[in-house]
Amino acid sequence: MSTGTDRTVQAHARGRRALALFDELADLAPADRAPVLDRLKTEDEALFAEVVALLSADESDGPLERPLSDWLTAPEPMPERLGPWRITGVAGRGGMGAVYFGERDDGQFSQRAALKRIRLGMDSPGLRLRFLRERQILAALNHPHIATLLDGGVGDDGAPYFAMERVEGQPLGRWCDERETTLAGRVGLMLQVCSAVQYAHQNLVVHRDLKPANVLVDAQGQVKLLDFGIAKLLDASASGGTTRERPHTPDYAAPEQVAGGPITTATDVYGLGATLHELLVGSPPRRAGEALWQAAQRATDDDARRRGFSSKVALERAVRGDLSAIVQRCLEAEPNARYPSAGAVAQDLEAFLQGRAVSARSPTRGYLAWKFVARHRLGVAVAAAVVLAVGGSAASALWQASLARRAAAEAQAQLDYLGSLLQVLSPSTAEARELDRSRLVTEATRRARAELADRPESLASVEFALAKVAQNVGDLPQALALADSAYERRVALVGRDAVASAEVQVLSAVLRARVSPPRFAEAEQLMEAALAVLRRRAPGSVTELEAVVQRAWLAGEQEKVAVEEATLAEALARCEGPLADTPICEEAWLVQGAVASRSHLPEVALKALLRAADAKSRRLGPDHASTLNVKSMVAWAQAEAGDLAGGLAVADEVYQAYQRIFTQPTETSLRAGLRLSRLAKRSGQHERALMLVDEYLVHARRVFGEHNQNTVLGLSDRASLLFGMGRFDEAASEFERVAAEYAAIDNRLNAALTRSYAADSLREAGQAARALPIGTEALATLRQSYPKGQHVNLARVLTNVARTESLVGHHPEALAHHAEAVAMHRALQPTSSYTAHARAFEGEALFAAGQRAEGERVLRAAVAELSASKTASPNMYWEPFAVLTTVACANGAADCDTLKAEAKAQLEAKLAAGTLSRLRAAVR
Amino acid sequence: MAAAEPSLTQLLREARQGDRAASEQAYAHIYRWLHDAARAQLRRGAEHATLTPTALVHEAWLKLSSADFEINDRQHYLAMASAAMRHLVVDAARARKSEKRGGQLVRVTLPDDGVPASANEVDVLSLDAALGQLEALEPRLASVVQYRFFGGLTEVEIANVLGTTERTVRRDWRKARAFLHRALSEAA
């Protein structure tokens, strides 16, 4: 103990002396210090060392120059919740935010996640919409080496958060160093990273921030990539107004990233190279042009030992050649000079592991021959004799063959990459219309045209595939240009009369009908030509069937009902055969459902939609967004077909599924919520319907914005609900608001319709005099808006205006309008209950105008006709019934008491407020 | 605040007369005030927080002292406030370090943390440790660092508190700075 204390005392004494000497020397010029220091060095070497260290510390900047604020980053208080996640702890903090651990528990599952909150405001609805869409795409990434994005949203404070799969692992570099992983082992891990990156690229997601710290490895040696695509979300929000400089990771950032150039998949190829660089030699790339083996000279012997080498010289030797070439090709400053894909990087890494030729090295004869020797050490002794015998020619042939094989492999890789773009945009991600994605398609096209210029067959296939991708991302002009180009190429190769050309032509036709403005004439011409070829060359094939379904769709778009029905019938017949299980039949049934419900054939529509839903559920799973969307349509069709309770149950089920699966609303889930609200309303569950529509509005305002038509749709539903609930004053003002929204976006038709509803609300609120001019004006606008002068909406408005006129005593006008409405309904759909409904109110008007007996007769006939749809549309029956009861009793009819009793029995039923008040009036 | 609570000036005066309780109470008072003010400032600034100790310490004095202070009270206060600032920074770093513990198994990174997120906390704690070494060696040098770096006092103020000249303060700072930079670069 005492010696320890002595040593401390000694050290203190030396420390004090060193400080004193420093004080003496500090102000001297270096030349004047030298003699003192020289003397000190011989006298007391330890003291000398300390003084020198102090003098050099004096000259350099140190931590005390940093302001105190740098030392203190404010720890944000840990939130209790983020969205549905309960926060359980802090994983780490960084300059841009914090990472927390979280759990979610909804009674059935409990899920753990790492939650990342980023200190950025997302203030505009547009940004938020983009964020939510992007998040949906990221969440769809499903790969064993990608940490799944579970959820993400924007917190109350406007800061976005992400919930990621919680990975138990270590960062790539540390994992390898602790286990002293060999170079081959490290390259093996990079192969996993490449496969994850390749998969993401095929889904049009670029990581943008690949670096060793973003790669975790678990105890089993399985790699997980973190933060896929998140850098882009940050960029998206930054470019939307935040001027703050974005911190990036310069060591791993590609030159185009630093320069603010376009980010493509090549950016990630650079990131792969930088990661590989650090993994192999212990440091990220430093200077442009410095080769990997040169960087290896900066490694320590320790670094080398951790990679299984005796010294850094051995490490340097090992990374010369193939590995240096691979890293260098990844790190090329010019994006086009890099590997075309992560898959191509993986191929070279695999080739390295197997001792085969890597594409990154220039195929010099010596290199390939050396590779060959290395791979076939045993056989070479024999082969050498042959080479000697036939001179250079065999060696030359060997080289040629290898070159050809390499070219073929690369072309295949190219095709795999571009061709796979075809499948990547699944239905659930197709809603994402992203500028960046169409730029990615443009980039892929440019590359394909450059690299496949001498392989027109491959190029045509790639263009065809890219056309479909462009269509999926909503870039229709680009899709059309690609399809046309692919078509021309195939025609040049195989002529017009070939399946390969015709299948492209079908797509060209569809795209022509979808661009704005639609080019229907061209579309139809191309479609007919393509179908003719396919009928001749590929009868009974899926390709032909696809063309048939598309033809039906095309006819429907142009309202060519006869062609549509005939073509659809053909497609449906085909879907009863061996092709029943192909996805195109799902589309056929969906078209059938749409056609049937338009033609008021709810049973047929229901059956078709059920088949589509069933097929989708089998193919994609019951909870897939696409399946749920069709199911939600099924619910509606079921209600239309008369099974309101059943439809409501299905809609409820879909709604619950959306709530369970998606923690944030999507466009389709919102639509499903609105459908459920409407079904609840029709089932008389007004309070629930109102709650649902209010919920819809909250999300719609956030996702779509205030003046978006989807939001207005919700407002309009809400107004109708208020009307149904008898809150007529509120309904009137809400309808006026909706009408103003429609007028603002120049939708005259909807504005007029909505104003007519406002007029109805006023009438029901007992303000018929105020309602009349509004209704009349709306009617005039509507007459102009429906060019044929006939429409079911026009007929309904006529009835409603007539009812108002009747109330204020304008009997002749009322009767004329009623007659016109009934005639219009009858002309449009002779069998529908709308005619009887309109007729009932005509009866009421006749009675009011003094034709008491005729009025009663008309009412009785109408009510008798309506009784068939009593359960499906109860309000459409009971309101006329109430009117009939009042009129019949006023006329002193014999069955007055029976009618009253029947009306009385309905007073407790779930009916619209207007209907109930009429029933109450009738029984008094 | 309860009316009966003695003012900081009063506490400081009692402390100078040897009242330990008063001294501790004064210190706690200062610490709490600086703590809250620093937090508020960092929260407000969010990203570009400029935590200037000078402003904080002087603002605290204006808020806490009563008008009847003597010059000695103020110097006593400045010494205490500097110590409080040092402890505040160190406590915050420790708190964050312990919060992080247990999170070591799982590392989830943010896009900008090429620098380990914990670098700052380590620095504060090693600076505190190095300052402890300097204290053992030359207590006055350590005080100068505490006043200047943590308390944000000017050379004049430090000279007044320590009862020396400005020149001495400057020379002390230079020695202390060299010592600490060296100690920290060794630690790293």
Side-chain angles (χ1 to χ4, degrees):
Chain A
M1 262 343 249
S2 71
T3 52
T5 316
D6 288 349
R7 226 176 287 137
T8 312
V9 171
Q10 270 176 25
H12 278 183
R14 192 170 59 234
R16 270 190 287 271
R17 281 196 59 202
L19 282 169
L21 280 165
F22 166 80
D23 194 28
E24 268 178 42
L25 293 170
D27 287 332
L28 299 181
D32 298 330
R33 290 174 187 170
V36 185
L37 286 173
D38 286 347
R39 199 174 58 243
L40 188 60
K41 192 175 182 183
T42 51
E43 284 170 5
D44 186 340
E45 190 149 0
L47 183 61
F48 164 79
E50 278 200 39
V51 173
V52 169
L54 286 174
L55 285 169
S56 84
D58 181 55
E59 275 160 21
S60 59
D61 276 357
L64 288 177
E65 268 71 52
R66 281 164 40 202
L68 188 59
S69 55
D70 270 17
W71 298 68
L72 255 193
T73 41
E76 278 177 51
M78 188 174 92
E80 278 182 29
R81 305 192 69 88
L82 282 174
W85 301 91
R86 197 175 64 251
I87 303 303
T88 57
V90 182
R93 292 182 192 280
M96 296 193 67
V99 182
Y100 303 106
F101 296 130
E103 280 179 6
R104 180 162 76 172
D105 215 334
D106 70 351
Q108 290 179 339
F109 323 88
S110 107
Q111 196 172 22
R112 300 201 310 162
L115 288 138
K116 196 167 284 208
R117 184 161 68 158
I118 285 135
R119 271 192 287 195
L120 274 179
M122 297 206 133
D123 300 325
S124 81
L127 275 181
R128 240 165 299 182
L129 177 58
R130 212 172 139 188
F131 173 82
L132 293 174
R133 280 183 172 165
E134 188 68 26
R135 185 214 56 195
Q136 211 176 327
I137 291 162
L138 295 179
L141 289 184
N142 185 0
H143 188 275
H145 298 311
I146 295 178
T148 311
L149 184 74
L150 300 170
D151 179 26
V154 180
D156 297 337
D157 55 356
Y161 70 87
F162 308 92
M164 289 202 313
E165 176 189 356
R166 193 167 154 178
V167 180
E168 309 280 336
Q170 282 177 312
L172 185 57
R174 202 187 331 145
W175 192 92
C176 288
D177 285 353
E178 279 185 13
R179 287 163 185 75
E180 303 194 347
T181 309
T182 61
L183 281 194
R186 288 166 193 249
V187 169
L189 289 168
M190 279 307 290
L191 283 175
Q192 296 184 31
V193 177
C194 287
S195 82
V197 172
Q198 173 77 353
Y199 167 84
H201 287 180
Q202 288 171 352
N203 284 278
L204 302 189
V205 175
V206 178
H207 189 292
R208 293 172 174 234
D209 197 27
L210 284 175
K211 57 186 177 190
N214 272 335
V215 181
L216 294 187
V217 190
D218 69 14
Q220 284 75 45
Q222 289 299 300
V223 156
K224 286 271 188 192
L225 260 71
L226 308 176
D227 286 359
F228 239 108
I230 286 177
K232 173 173 179 196
L233 291 182
L234 300 180
D235 265 3
S237 75
S239 60
T242 317
T243 50
R244 197 171 62 83
E245 192 187 327
R246 169 164 320 293
H248 57 291
T249 324
D251 279 348
Y252 310 94
E256 67 269 22
Q257 242 169 328
V258 178
I263 307 297
T264 66
T265 53
T267 308
D268 278 353
V269 171
Y270 185 98
L272 284 173
T275 304
L276 185 59
H277 191 287
E278 176 160 335
L279 205 56
L280 294 177
V281 302
S283 61
R286 283 276 165 81
R287 279 177 294 277
E290 187 193 50
L292 182 68
W293 60 269
Q294 288 168 319
Q297 292 169 346
R298 280 189 275 113
T300 63
D301 284 342
D302 246 9
D303 288 333
R305 255 195 307 284
R306 280 197 288 266
R307 287 159 177 79
F309 295 97
S310 55
S311 70
K312 70 175 190 180
V313 180
L315 173 65
E316 184 197 324
R317 227 179 2 246
V319 301
R320 266 179 194 271
D322 285 350
L323 287 175
S324 284
I326 292 172
V327 168
Q328 199 168 335
R329 176 126 193 241
C330 290
L331 297 180
E332 290 286 353
E334 170 58 39
N336 287 328
R338 294 174 205 151
Y339 285 104
S341 67
V345 180
Q347 281 192 337
D348 257 9
L349 290 175
E350 263 165 18
F352 164 78
L353 288 178
Q354 293 163 13
R356 287 186 286 110
V358 307
S359 74
R361 288 189 80 177
S362 48
T364 59
R365 207 183 280 205
Y367 166 68
L368 287 165
W370 183 84
K371 270 286 155 188
F372 184 77
V373 171
R375 198 162 63 236
H376 305 283
R377 282 191 200 286
L378 264 174
V380 164
V382 184
V386 182
V387 172
L388 282 172
V390 296
S393 66
S396 163
L398 172 67
W399 178 69
Q400 293 289 348
S402 180
L403 197 64
R405 218 172 29 246
R406 203 171 56 79
E410 205 168 339
Q412 191 54 47
Q414 194 65 248
L415 265 182
D416 283 350
Y417 167 55
L418 293 169
S420 58
L421 287 174
L422 164 71
Q423 309 144 8
V424 297
L425 288 172
S426 64
S428 58
T429 62
E431 283 164 10
R433 299 181 178 205
E434 266 287 354
L435 269 179
D436 276 2
R437 288 192 167 68
S438 57
R439 220 169 51 212
L440 212 56
V441 174
T442 312
E443 173 65 17
T445 307
R446 209 179 54 69
R447 282 190 173 214
R449 286 181 181 159
E451 295 176 27
L452 301 175
D454 52 349
R455 288 187 286 275
E457 259 169 77
S458 308
L459 182 52
S461 300
V462 169
E463 283 178 339
F464 184 32
L466 286 171
K468 293 183 191 176
V469 175
Q471 182 188 22
N472 281 341
V473 302
D475 187 349
L476 299 175
Q478 184 169 214
L480 182 54
L482 278 162
D484 283 350
S485 170
Y487 177 68
E488 290 307 327
R489 276 184 223 286
R490 286 201 171 164
V491 168
L493 287 163
V494 295
R496 281 177 208 287
D497 191 16
V499 175
S501 301
E503 67 171 350
V504 185
Q505 209 174 8
V506 171
L507 181 62
S508 280
V510 168
L511 289 168
R512 276 182 170 70
R514 287 192 57 195
V515 290
S516 172
R519 290 146 64 178
F520 284 126
E522 289 169 45
E524 210 174 279
Q525 195 194 334
L526 290 180
M527 185 65 88
E528 295 307 319
L531 196 56
V533 172
L534 291 170
R535 286 202 196 288
R536 198 164 53 243
R537 298 268 172 196
S541 68
V542 177
T543 315
E544 188 208 2
L545 177 56
E546 273 170 0
V548 173
V549 175
Q550 299 294 13
R551 182 174 186 244
W553 170 83
L554 185 59
E557 287 294 294
Q558 301 175 81
E559 298 188 20
K560 296 188 169 176
V561 181
V563 180
E564 183 187 24
E565 282 178 3
T567 317
L568 182 62
E570 184 194 346
L572 292 173
R574 208 71 74 69
C575 282
E576 298 303 323
L579 298 181
D581 287 336
T582 53
I584 191 66
C585 285
E586 294 163 14
E587 298 311 308
W589 294 321
L590 282 177
V591 175
Q592 187 191 10
V595 170
S597 67
R598 209 175 51 217
S599 317
H600 295 279
L601 297 168
E603 285 87 4
V604 180
L606 178 59
K607 215 176 128 202
L609 291 171
L610 272 174
R611 265 187 103 166
D614 193 43
K616 279 204 188 287
S617 175
R618 263 184 286 121
R619 191 167 63 88
L620 303 166
D623 285 342
H624 192 277
S626 179
T627 310
L628 288 176
N629 191 31
V630 178
K631 263 192 169 168
S632 161
M633 289 155 74
V634 165
W636 188 254
Q638 202 166 336
E640 289 284 294
D643 182 7
L644 190 55
L648 186 67
V650 173
D652 220 345
E653 191 187 304
V654 171
Y655 180 77
Q656 303 294 345
Y658 272 121
Q659 302 268 307
R660 194 172 64 241
I661 297 156
F662 301 97
T663 54
Q664 296 282 331
T666 64
E667 289 183 44
T668 43
S669 77
L670 284 176
R671 243 188 333 261
L674 199 58
R675 282 203 188 105
L676 176 61
S677 162
R678 289 176 178 179
L679 289 176
K681 179 194 170 196
R682 279 171 60 172
S683 312
Q685 302 176 8
H686 290 115
E687 296 296 337
R688 175 148 194 244
L690 190 62
M691 214 179 69
L692 284 162
V693 80
D694 280 340
E695 190 185 301
Y696 171 88
L697 280 170
V698 168
H699 294 306
R701 283 199 175 99
R702 217 189 52 218
V703 173
F704 304 115
E706 184 70 43
H707 303 290
N708 179 282
Q709 58 170 348
N710 288 301
T711 309
V712 175
L713 196 64
L715 282 174
S716 158
D717 268 33
R718 188 170 195 278
S720 309
L721 249 175
L722 291 169
F723 186 93
M725 293 167 88
R727 290 154 68 169
F728 300 116
D729 288 317
E730 286 169 78
S733 61
E734 291 274 292
F735 275 128
E736 284 289 359
R737 193 169 140 202
V738 174
E741 291 282 355
Y742 280 127
I745 57 168
D746 233 26
N747 189 335
R748 278 164 51 92
L749 177 64
N750 279 352
L753 265 178
T754 314
R755 293 210 78 201
S756 86
Y757 301 151
D760 294 343
S761 309
L762 284 173
R763 183 192 67 225
E764 295 298 317
Q767 305 181 46
R770 253 186 79 196
L772 190 56
I774 298 174
T776 311
E777 193 203 318
L779 179 61
T781 312
L782 284 172
R783 279 192 199 278
Q784 291 163 11
S785 303
Y786 291 111
K788 293 175 192 162
Q790 291 219 329
H791 195 278
V792 65
N793 285 334
L794 189 55
R796 281 190 203 168
V797 173
L798 277 167
T799 302
N800 280 319
V801 169
R803 286 172 71 179
T804 312
E805 286 165 339
S806 182
L807 273 178
V808 297
H810 296 178
H811 297 298
E813 292 88 344
L815 290 178
H817 282 145
H818 272 305
E820 192 186 349
V822 170
M824 200 179 287
H825 275 304
R826 196 166 276 151
L828 287 166
Q829 286 147 22
T831 57
S832 90
S833 46
Y834 293 136
T835 312
H837 192 249
R839 191 102 172 92
F841 290 105
E842 190 182 14
E844 186 186 28
L846 285 166
F847 176 84
Q851 305 180 37
R852 298 172 64 120
E854 176 62 3
E856 185 183 335
R857 195 190 60 75
V858 169
L859 264 165
R860 281 190 189 274
V863 167
E865 211 175 311
L866 284 169
S867 67
S869 50
K870 203 193 303 193
T871 25
S873 317
N875 287 304
M876 268 183 87
Y877 176 76
W878 290 108
E879 193 181 2
F881 185 89
V883 176
L884 170 64
T885 308
T886 310
V887 167
C889 291
N891 280 346
D895 61 351
C896 172
D897 287 341
T898 329
L899 289 170
K900 275 190 172 176
E902 213 178 323
K904 205 169 183 171
Q906 293 304 317
L907 287 176
E908 300 303 315
K910 287 192 185 291
L911 293 169
T915 308
L916 285 175
S917 80
R918 266 167 216 282
L919 283 167
R920 270 193 299 272
V923 300
R924 264 203 300 271
Chain B
M1 201 183 282
E5 200 169 315
S7 79
L8 179 66
T9 324
Q10 202 178 331
L11 286 170
L12 288 170
R13 207 161 299 162
E14 285 163 17
R16 249 195 350 277
Q17 284 153 9
D19 187 337
R20 274 191 78 90
S23 176
E24 276 163 24
Q25 217 179 324
Y27 181 83
H29 212 52
I30 295 167
Y31 182 96
R32 203 168 48 238
W33 196 92
L34 289 173
H35 175 266
D36 294 349
R39 255 195 110 90
Q41 210 180 87
L42 286 169
R43 216 181 0 246
R44 261 200 313 277
E47 277 158 42
H48 293 301
T50 43
L51 186 75
T52 48
T54 314
L56 272 181
V57 165
H58 289 273
E59 197 186 336
W61 174 250
L62 290 177
K63 290 271 160 65
L64 294 176
S65 67
S66 45
D68 60 340
F69 73 91
E70 294 166 22
I71 194 71
N72 283 340
D73 297 333
R74 181 172 155 78
Q75 279 164 10
H76 193 179
Y77 162 78
L78 288 175
M80 271 192 174
S82 302
M85 281 300 289
R86 175 179 169 190
H87 288 150
L88 203 144
V89 172
V90 170
D91 288 349
R94 281 217 184 93
R96 257 167 295 153
K97 200 176 159 193
S98 68
E99 190 181 51
K100 253 187 190 162
R101 213 171 288 134
Q104 289 299 319
L105 248 186
V106 188
R107 250 186 67 88
V108 195
T109 63
L110 282 163
D112 62 335
D113 57 1
V115 190
S118 57
N120 286 347
E121 286 86 333
V122 171
D123 277 354
V124 170
L125 297 180
S126 29
L127 174 67
D128 186 56
L131 199 52
Q133 289 168 26
L134 185 59
E135 240 151 25
L137 217 58
E138 297 268 16
R140 200 185 64 204
L141 299 195
S143 302
V144 170
V145 173
Q146 189 162 302
Y147 296 151
R148 181 168 158 170
F149 183 76
F150 290 104
L153 304 198
T154 61
E155 284 165 358
V156 182
E157 282 170 331
I158 300 172
N160 284 338
V161 173
L162 290 175
T164 66
T165 64
E166 280 172 66
R167 195 181 118 75
T168 308
V169 171
R170 265 199 297 279
R171 283 176 58 185
D172 283 353
W173 171 254
R174 189 168 180 186
K175 280 190 274 182
R177 182 181 166 278
F179 178 89
L180 292 173
H181 281 185
R182 191 196 151 220
L184 288 170
S185 70
E186 244 175 23

